[in-house]
Amino acid sequence: MVLIELKVENTSYRTIWPSETDDRVVRIINQLALPHSFEIVDLRRAEDACFAIEEMQVRGAGLIGATAGFGMYLASLQAGNETFDQDLIRQAEKLKSTRPTASNLAWAVDRMLAKTSAGKTPEEKRTIAKAEAQAIADEDADFCRRIGEYGKAIIEEISARKEGAPVNVLTHCNAGWLAFVDHGSATSPIYAAHDSGIDVHVWVDETRPRNQGASLTCWELGQHGVPHTLVTDNLGGHLMQHGLVDMVLVGTDRTTGTGDVANKIGTYLKALAAKDNGVPFYVALPSSTFDFSIRDGLKEIPIEERSTDEVTFVTGLSKTNGELTSVRHCPPETKAKNWGFDVTPARLVDKLICERGICDASEEGILSLFPEKRKDPATP
Ligand code: MRU
């Protein structure tokens, strides 16, 4: 399969990469500026990586993990030779506390700590940290590419059934190239299908309150030439009732070993509508997004609660002067609530698409792809 690497004005980009000229600098695309401008930001310290994750210059499970990996590399450069291990652990805790829901964050930080601990000197640990951060990023891109190969087969089958008529995929939020290092999870099968000539069209939920669907998914699908239509979050049920959705395909920020899926707020409602209308509901994820330590998504997945300003204000380019503007759209005294994610129970998920293949959203299904996670019944 062809490497996708999204092209912006004819240049291929990953979403995070070490600077070509200074190996003490890591570069990211500032997603807060999209879709209005394409800005690259330099991270020089672990604190910059924390800021980038917390303020959502980078976001999405895979990219949060990759940024945390590079953040640990930057932390290793800052760590004193005498106090290396303590310094690194302190930065690890700070990175882990930036956002609660995506499991890739702690997974990447712990992987960096485990790997660097094998180094005998601070210098050796720094060398390991650099290689491991790159390995996390490369693996994320490769796993997403494989998700694309498996997921493409599903789209291909629907296309054949529809005798080449457009396959309509509904997606929520941005589980795209921008949410990972490359390809995306939910978008990877779409890009792969599109690149192989299948007629695929995407319904993009705008995804209130931050509108990652409108600002990010529409932008990256547009850059890649994939036909798409932006819809309000509430339209999905209506589209499904009228036979206008062939499959729902979303990403996830954390999925339990039993198949419960945390994803951007509103995903659960799409899954309910899909069930009621017999539309298959797929979730695409690399293995780094599984949390095998928990079984009950509703009770155990930490759900991020964010500023209510995201609900009470809407931000975008002003229709009158083209300037970036925030406007309040409710009375000043209105109370709001803003949970960022919800949990779709495994029973509403048809299949999971992973880098190792496609499985049922159940403990048995997941273990059939990841047998090494099967617990020895003798161990408590
Ligand atoms: O709050 P975000 O933008 O970091 O949320 C992540 C998401 O975009 C989605 O929940 C996505 O579908 C899963 S992340 C691969």
Side-chain angles (χ1 to χ4, degrees):
M1 191 179 118
V2 212
L3 255 185
I4 290 158
E5 285 207 334
L6 198 124
K7 285 200 170 156
V8 181
E9 290 177 6
N10 269 334
T11 309
S12 289
Y13 286 92
R14 281 189 168 188
T15 53
I16 188 164
W17 66 98
S19 156
E20 303 76 6
T21 52
D22 183 348
D23 70 356
R24 302 175 72 86
V25 173
V26 175
R27 315 199 82 191
I28 56 166
I29 296 163
N30 178 11
Q31 300 192 19
L32 295 174
L34 290 172
H36 312 300
S37 68
F38 185 77
E39 283 175 18
I40 292 170
V41 167
D42 287 348
L43 310 180
R44 296 171 187 278
R45 302 171 56 80
E47 290 80 359
D48 298 339
C50 288
F51 179 86
I53 298 172
E54 208 154 39
E55 295 302 313
M56 296 179 68
Q57 288 179 327
V58 293
R59 27 68 50 209
L63 183 56
I64 289 174
T67 307
F70 279 113
M72 288 293 285
Y73 163 58
L74 296 174
S76 80
L77 298 178
Q78 290 165 249
N81 282 346
E82 308 305 317
T83 52
F84 189 92
D85 290 344
Q86 302 93 290
D87 288 354
L88 207 62
I89 288 170
R90 196 165 27 81
Q91 294 288 12
E93 291 311 316
K94 283 192 189 158
L95 276 161
K96 278 188 186 181
S97 68
T98 49
R99 291 194 71 193
T101 302
S103 49
N104 303 56
L105 175 57
W107 168 86
V109 171
D110 288 341
R111 175 167 159 173
M112 292 294 293
L113 282 176
K115 283 284 177 175
T116 47
S117 69
K120 290 188 183 56
T121 63
E123 224 24 65
E124 201 184 326
K125 288 175 196 244
R126 289 183 185 107
T127 307
I128 295 173
K130 184 178 176 191
E132 199 54 24
Q134 190 60 53
I136 288 173
D138 290 345
E139 194 179 283
D140 182 84
D142 183 49
F143 284 4
C144 284
R145 181 187 60 78
R146 293 190 211 183
I147 287 169
E149 286 176 21
Y150 288 113
K152 181 186 126 182
I154 299 171
I155 299 178
E156 211 160 25
E157 199 191 302
I158 299 173
S159 167
R161 215 185 315 130
K162 292 184 77 176
E163 297 175 346
V167 177
N168 290 302
V169 181
L170 183 135
T171 195
H172 191 69
C173 201
N174 174 262
W177 165 73
L178 287 165
F180 289 86
V181 174
D182 205 349
H183 310 282
S185 58
T187 53
S188 189
I190 295 167
Y191 289 136
H194 172 82
D195 289 352
S196 68
I198 297 171
D199 196 349
V200 55
H201 163 264
V202 187
W203 296 110
V204 183
D205 282 352
E206 58 182 351
T207 321
R208 282 281 294 146
R210 288 186 67 95
N211 295 314
Q212 290 96 327
S215 58
L216 304 178
T217 304
C218 287
W219 180 77
E220 63 163 271
L221 290 175
Q223 293 290 324
H224 202 78
V226 178
H228 60 280
T229 307
L230 177 65
V231 292
T232 59
D233 291 332
N234 297 324
L235 194 76
H238 174 80
L239 290 173
M240 292 184 218
Q241 285 174 325
H242 290 272
L244 294 169
V245 180
D246 296 303
M247 65 189 286
V248 179
L249 178 51
V250 296
T252 165
D253 300 86
R254 188 184 295 240
T255 288
T256 65
T258 54
D260 291 342
V261 168
N263 194 48
K264 185 53 61 190
I265 195 77
T267 303
Y268 170 56
L269 293 177
K270 293 296 137 74
L272 285 174
K275 186 56 107 194
D276 192 44
N277 290 283
V279 173
F281 186 94
Y282 294 97
V283 178
L285 71 161
S287 46
S288 47
T289 305
F290 279 112
D291 182 347
F292 286 98
S293 73
I294 56 175
R295 301 181 56 80
D296 185 330
L298 262 181
K299 290 202 183 114
E300 295 176 277
I301 296 179
I303 301 292
E304 177 176 17
E305 193 168 355
R306 302 185 52 82
S307 163
T308 56
D309 282 359
E310 292 181 354
V311 181
T312 54
F313 286 84
V314 182
T315 304
L317 294 189
S318 155
K319 209 171 172 180
T320 43
N321 62 14
E323 299 281 321
L324 197 63
T325 320
S326 264
V327 291
R328 190 205 301 275
H329 64 144
C330 58
E333 65 280 5
T334 300
K335 280 203 217 138
K337 272 297 205 184
N338 188 16
W339 283 284
F341 302 90
D342 61 24
V343 174
T344 299
R347 66 174 186 278
L348 298 178
V349 178
D350 282 279
K351 296 280 180 195
L352 301 174
I353 310 171
C354 311
E355 77 270 11
R356 293 194 194 174
I358 299 174
C359 69
D360 285 340
S362 66
E363 187 165 29
E364 271 317 301
I366 294 166
L367 289 175
S368 71
L369 290 185
F370 300 94
E372 72 277 16
K373 298 292 178 189
R374 196 178 285 280
K375 282 213 178 81
D376 178 351
T379 9

